[in-house]
Amino acid sequence: MSIVVFGASGNIGSNIRKEALSRGHRVTAVTRSTDLEPAERLTTLKADIADADDVAKIAAGHDAVISAYSPGLRRHSAEDAAELIREAHDALFAGIKRAGVRLIIVGGVGSLEASPGIDVVDSDFYPAEHKAHTLRNREILRSLKRGDHDLDWTYVSPPLSIKAGERTGKFRLDEDRLLRNEAGESRISEADFAIAILDELGRGQFVRRRFTAAY
């Protein structure tokens, strides 16, 4: 397949890029400023996801777009990050609709259900300083579920902890429920999370739905 990856230099995006290339896909890796190491079947572009025209031009002719966009949460306040997330996704959705391709979005954990009827972002353990941008991510998911954008989308939520680690290929999937292991941990490696995303790209199990992957 021919795939665009936005945020291709980030921790999650770089794992998605590498997993896609390892499966023989052609990858157009989009970053804001970072140069990537050359690889077979890899094209690197510098562009702004918050520009709908750029998104439409880049996505045209590809089979799918995977967005691992992050505004850089350490560089911005939660409120500023929330606004950047809104601007980026407004442009992303507009551009993807014009290009007419499938979209997979790496979203947030906050909209997963921590306990019956209570989302992670509304739970008493979720950090208050992250709530503004987390609520924005939840609203983006809700807008997709309402059909506001008329896209062939899939939204992927990570567990509470996603870090560099072993590529095992062994994890569980769910739709809206926060997954925890027997020790109460909610975690996955970035490499295994990338496997789950590329598996979904091939299988199409969660088109116009959300899923999560964790151990």
Side-chain angles (χ1 to χ4, degrees), residues 5 7-11 14 17 29-38 42-47 75:
V5 180
S9 63
N11 292 339
S14 61
R17 181 186 84 239
V30 185
T31 72
R32 283 170 287 193
S33 60
T34 305
D35 292 319
L36 301 176
E37 183 178 347
L42 175 66
T43 300
T44 302
L45 297 176
K46 293 180 183 179
R75 300 194 301 270

Side-chain angles (χ1 to χ4, degrees), residues 78-105:
E79 290 74 18
D80 288 345
E83 181 58 20
L84 289 169
I85 289 168
R86 183 195 64 77
E87 292 173 356
H89 284 83
D90 283 350
L92 177 65
F93 294 160
I96 293 299
K97 187 170 184 178
R98 283 157 53 186
V101 300
R102 185 180 177 198
L103 174 63
I104 297 180
I105 303 169

Side-chain angles (χ1 to χ4, degrees), residues 11-140:
N11 292 339
I12 295 175
S14 61
N15 279 274
I16 293 170
R17 181 186 84 239
K18 293 171 184 176
E19 181 67 27
L21 290 172
S22 75
R23 297 184 183 210
H25 299 309
R26 297 182 302 278
V27 177
T28 298
V30 185
T31 72
R32 283 170 287 193
S33 60
T34 305
D35 292 319
L36 301 176
E37 183 178 347
E40 187 178 356
R41 300 183 311 280
L42 175 66
T43 300
T44 302
L45 297 176
K46 293 180 183 179
D48 186 2
I49 195 174
D51 186 318
D53 290 335
D54 279 357
V55 172
K57 290 174 185 176
I58 292 167
H62 289 80
D63 296 305
V65 169
I66 301 174
S67 173
Y69 164 79
S70 170
L73 300 178
R74 294 180 181 177
R75 300 194 301 270
H76 302 284
S77 69
E79 290 74 18
D80 288 345
E83 181 58 20
L84 289 169
I85 289 168
R86 183 195 64 77
E87 292 173 356
H89 284 83
D90 283 350
L92 177 65
F93 294 160
I96 293 299
K97 187 170 184 178
R98 283 157 53 186
V101 300
R102 185 180 177 198
L103 174 63
I104 297 180
I105 303 169
V106 178
V109 64
S111 55
L112 289 171
E113 193 174 64
S115 57
I118 300 177
D119 290 346
V120 169
V121 69
D122 298 320
S123 65
D124 56 8
F125 63 81
Y126 196 73
E129 62 268 25
H130 296 321
K131 284 201 171 184
H133 62 78
T134 303
L135 290 170
R136 175 62 64 190
N137 277 323
R138 182 170 69 177
E139 178 49 37
I140 288 168

Side-chain angles (χ1 to χ4, degrees), residues 193-207:
F193 195 61
I195 291 175
I197 290 170
L198 268 297
D199 284 352
E200 169 55 27
L201 182 63
R203 296 170 182 168
Q205 182 180 355
F206 297 100
V207 176

